């Protein structure tokens, strides 16, 4: 039965509605990359997660380093004071020329992401500062091929990602470009009412997206914040309709997100604590950084970043509830992945030797009862996942634990007992048995970051 309150596509875009491709449903984990001129100043206040602050406070103290050009234009903000003290009156574009990419090794990145369990990678190709990471038309040399790194970063990342067996996607800021379509700084929610929606900017965005699609064939096309109204209300030669037609024609199994101004989507998105209401029916993707910023922030140390254990728990939780996790890394200006982020990914890679089968090709397990992790829930942390007809329990606890034993769990046990995954695909018997109210399991002390993975018979 169709939910009458679910968002509906405008008639012009109904033609694009289709099932989410299987490869994406089976992925579980993707890697987001935010790398730009903002990685040179690399400064933001690590105040906390999006969705937990009043927007006026959020923008003045924005923890997103990639929003540096916006935050330094807010009079009296700590970022503005920092910029004046450290960089004086130097313009933002100086950072583009100082962006060296001198340590950039795309094959190393791709190998790390693949080890961590990612099935697709989505780098930024243009963020809100308007600098493109390829020689995009109309940028008049304000791109990484002509200035700064002097490299087609989009192309290099695409080749490395695909060479490592993963799918490649592109992020492009459709709704904001502080250079090509300048606007005053956004200081609160009302600032989004002043985004550029004219035909000139719509044609600019259309040309860039078409070029990305034709040149790189991205399998994930990620927009952000909006699409210019002049290009989405009419079926014109620069309409979003033309973009989507070209995309699905060249990449039949491609997917797009839901940030195109309420026009079309293959999946819904949430970001940190914002927009989590989409994490229900239909397919969704949760997006966040390892820290509080997407772009590299020199102020973020281990205390502001997820450990490997926390990241694995986040991933398992998302998959158990029917989504994918798009986890962001923010390289420094030279192209090094910061140590707290690299340690997190390397720890995830260790856990993947045991847990990949509850991430890849896995689904939410119906007829089970997750517990733990809530403010009023002091039970063991357990998430139930189904893959290839097998029921799994991911348990973040050691020693004796009693898990909820619904009829589905009891049926899955059958005549055999559960086994604990210790190495890739190999299980070891574990002390377990049904008791009043649940399944009693005795877990050993964990040797890897992340929860135990229990495969039921």
């Amino acid at each position: 039965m169709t939910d009458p309150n679910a968002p509906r596509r405008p008639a012009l875009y109904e033609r694009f509605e289709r099932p989410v491709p299987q490869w994406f449903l089976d992925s579980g984990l993707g890697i987001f990359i935010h790398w730009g001129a903002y990685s040179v100043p690399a400064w933001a206040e690590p105040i906390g997660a999006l969705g937990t602050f009043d927007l006026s406070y959020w923008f003045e103290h924005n923890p997103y380093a990639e929003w540096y050009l916006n935050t330094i234009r807010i009079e009296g903000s700590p970022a503005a004071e920092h910029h004046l003290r450290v960089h004086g009156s130097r313009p933002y574009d100086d950072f583009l020329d100082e962006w060296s990419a001198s340590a950039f090794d795309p094959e190393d990145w791709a190998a790390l992401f693949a080890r961590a369990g990612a099935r697709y990678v989505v780098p930024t190709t243009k963020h809100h500062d308007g600098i493109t990471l390829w020689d995009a038309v109309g940028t008049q040399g304000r791109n990484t091929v002509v200035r700064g790194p002097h490299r087609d970063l989009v192309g290099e990342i695409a080749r490395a990602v695909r060479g490592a067996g993963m799918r490649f996607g592109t992020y492009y800021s459709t709704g904001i470009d502080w250079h090509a379509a300048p606007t005053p700084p956004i200081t609160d929610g009302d600032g989004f009412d002043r985004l550029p929606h004219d035909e000139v900017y719509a044609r600019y965005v259309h040309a860039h997206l078409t070029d990305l699609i034709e040149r790189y064939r991205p399998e994930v096309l990620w927009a952000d914040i909006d699409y210019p109204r002049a290009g989405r209300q009419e079926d014109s030669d620069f309409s979003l309709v033309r973009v989507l037609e070209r995309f699905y024609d060249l990449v039949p199994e491609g997917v797009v997100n839901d940030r195109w101004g309420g026009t079309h989507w293959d999946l819904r998105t949430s970001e940190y604590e914002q927009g989590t209401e989409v994490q229900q029916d239909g397919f969704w993707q949760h997006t966040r950084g390892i820290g509080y910023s997407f772009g590299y922030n020199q102020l973020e140390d281990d205390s502001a970043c997820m450990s490997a254990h926390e990241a694995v728990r986040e991933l398992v939780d998302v998959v158990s509830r029917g989504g994918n996790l798009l986890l962001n890394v923010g390289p420094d200006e030279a192209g090094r992945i910061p140590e707290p982020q690299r340690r997190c990914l390397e720890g995830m890679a260790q856990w993947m030797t045991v847990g990949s089968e509850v991430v890849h090709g896995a689904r939410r397990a119906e007829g089970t009862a997750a517990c733990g992790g809530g403010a009023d829930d002091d039970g063991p942390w357990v998430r139930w996942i189904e893959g290839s007809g097998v029921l799994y329990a991911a348990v973040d606890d050691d020693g004796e634990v009693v898990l909820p034993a619904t009829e589905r769990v009891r049926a899955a046990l059958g005549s055999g007992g559960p086994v604990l995954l210790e190495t890739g695909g190999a299980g070891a018997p574990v002390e377990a048995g049904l008791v009043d109210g649940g399944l009693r399991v005795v877990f050993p002390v964990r040797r890897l970051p992340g929860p135990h993975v229990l495969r039921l018979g």
Side-chain angles (χ1 to χ4, degrees):
M1 181 176 179
T2 303
D3 180 359
N5 297 316
R8 299 181 63 86
R9 293 165 179 78
L12 190 61
Y13 293 89
E14 289 177 349
R15 73 187 80 170
F16 300 113
E17 187 170 4
R18 68 206 226 294
V20 178
Q22 195 66 43
W23 75 263
F24 194 78
L25 293 173
D26 289 343
S27 292
L29 177 66
I31 295 292
F32 220 180
I33 306 170
H34 279 63
W35 194 28
Y38 45 79
S39 306
V40 176
W43 196 94
E45 296 178 81
I47 59 172
L50 176 67
T52 60
F53 296 91
D54 173 81
L55 282 180
S56 296
Y57 183 86
W58 168 264
F59 283 111
E60 185 176 353
H61 301 272
N62 200 328
Y64 285 3
E66 68 277 12
W67 277 70
Y68 189 77
L69 181 53
N70 188 78
T71 317
I72 62 175
R73 293 186 293 145
I74 299 176
E75 186 176 354
S77 71
E81 294 172 356
H82 165 82
H83 185 79
L84 181 62
R85 182 174 64 255
V86 176
H87 303 290
S89 59
R90 295 175 58 211
Y92 180 84
D93 274 26
D94 280 6
F95 299 132
L96 170 56
D97 296 316
E98 294 174 13
W99 179 11
S100 70
S102 59
F104 175 43
D105 184 344
E107 284 73 25
D108 173 70
W109 284 13
L112 173 61
F113 302 156
R115 288 198 306 275
R119 291 290 177 87
Y120 58 99
V121 177
V122 183
T124 52
T125 64
K126 185 204 80 167
H127 206 263
H128 309 329
D129 61 8
I131 295 168
T132 63
L133 279 66
W134 87 106
D135 55 338
V137 63
T139 55
Q140 300 175 331
R142 194 171 179 269
N143 60 64
T144 63
V145 176
V146 176
R147 296 171 64 179
H150 294 281
R151 297 164 74 168
D152 175 6
L153 300 177
V154 177
E156 290 191 46
I157 296 170
R159 284 190 293 274
V161 163
R162 287 173 169 146
M166 296 174 290
R167 309 253 183 169
F168 174 73
T170 54
Y171 165 106
Y172 180 93
S173 174
T174 47
I176 299 178
D177 190 315
W178 293 313
H179 180 79
T183 55
I186 297 174
T187 59
D188 54 34
D190 293 340
F192 293 102
D193 296 332
R194 298 186 289 274
L195 298 181
H197 287 287
D198 58 277
E199 180 178 332
V200 171
Y201 183 58
R203 288 184 177 275
Y204 186 80
V205 171
H206 177 274
H208 283 186
L209 289 174
T210 302
D211 189 32
L212 284 171
I213 293 165
E214 294 180 347
R215 208 188 288 207
Y216 304 108
R217 303 292 201 274
E219 287 151 295
V220 180
L221 192 64
W222 178 284
D224 201 10
I225 295 186
D226 211 334
Y227 192 88
R229 279 193 292 270
R232 60 179 160 92
Q233 293 181 322
E234 300 295 333
D235 192 2
S236 61
D237 64 340
F238 59 93
S239 171
L240 175 58
V241 170
R242 302 280 84 83
V243 172
L244 295 174
E245 285 176 343
R246 192 62 175 150
F247 176 62
Y248 289 124
D249 179 51
L250 293 180
V251 192
E253 287 205 324
V255 295
V256 304
N257 70 334
D258 59 349
R259 302 187 183 188
W260 304 85
T263 53
H264 171 65
W265 59 90
D266 292 310
L267 62 139
R268 309 309 302 270
T269 59
S270 55
E271 185 171 324
Y272 287 94
E273 300 302 316
Q274 182 169 284
T276 55
E277 65 276 2
V278 305
Q279 298 176 1
Q280 298 177 30
D281 296 331
F283 198 75
W284 52 274
Q285 177 178 254
H286 185 56
T287 305
R288 62 156 296 153
I290 291 174
Y292 296 124
S293 177
F294 286 95
Y296 171 54
N297 181 6
Q298 61 181 303
L299 299 187
E300 286 193 338
D301 56 16
D302 286 327
S303 67
C305 295
M306 287 195 295
S307 66
H309 180 93
E310 292 167 327
V312 170
R313 260 183 54 142
E314 180 88 353
L315 171 61
V316 170
D317 178 65
V318 166
V319 172
S320 76
R321 293 186 291 112
N324 279 355
L325 176 64
L326 186 61
L327 185 64
N328 181 80
V329 297
D332 68 13
E333 68 83 21
R336 293 178 293 257
I337 296 176
E339 280 306 310
Q341 297 181 30
R342 183 173 282 273
R343 282 195 299 272
C344 177
L345 294 177
E346 292 287 12
M348 294 179 74
Q350 293 176 34
W351 183 84
M352 279 291 170
T353 63
V354 168
S356 65
E357 58 193 278
V358 300
V359 172
H360 302 137
R363 298 286 181 275
R364 174 172 50 193
E366 303 296 340
T368 58
C371 62
D376 300 322
D377 188 352
D378 59 359
W381 191 96
V382 56
R383 298 294 184 268
W384 300 92
I385 298 171
E386 184 174 9
S388 301
V390 177
L391 184 64
Y392 300 88
V395 183
D396 192 21
D397 213 334
D398 296 329
E400 182 176 319
V401 176
V402 177
L403 308 178
T406 63
E407 288 185 15
R408 171 73 194 283
V409 172
R410 292 172 184 266
L413 285 169
S415 58
V419 296
L420 186 67
L421 300 190
E422 294 188 326
T423 57
V430 62
E431 182 182 340
L434 291 170
V435 297
D436 289 341
L439 172 64
R440 174 184 172 273
V441 184
V442 180
F443 291 99
V445 175
R446 278 166 292 184
R447 60 182 184 84
L448 296 174
H452 294 292
V453 179
L454 192 68
R455 181 197 291 149
L456 278 68

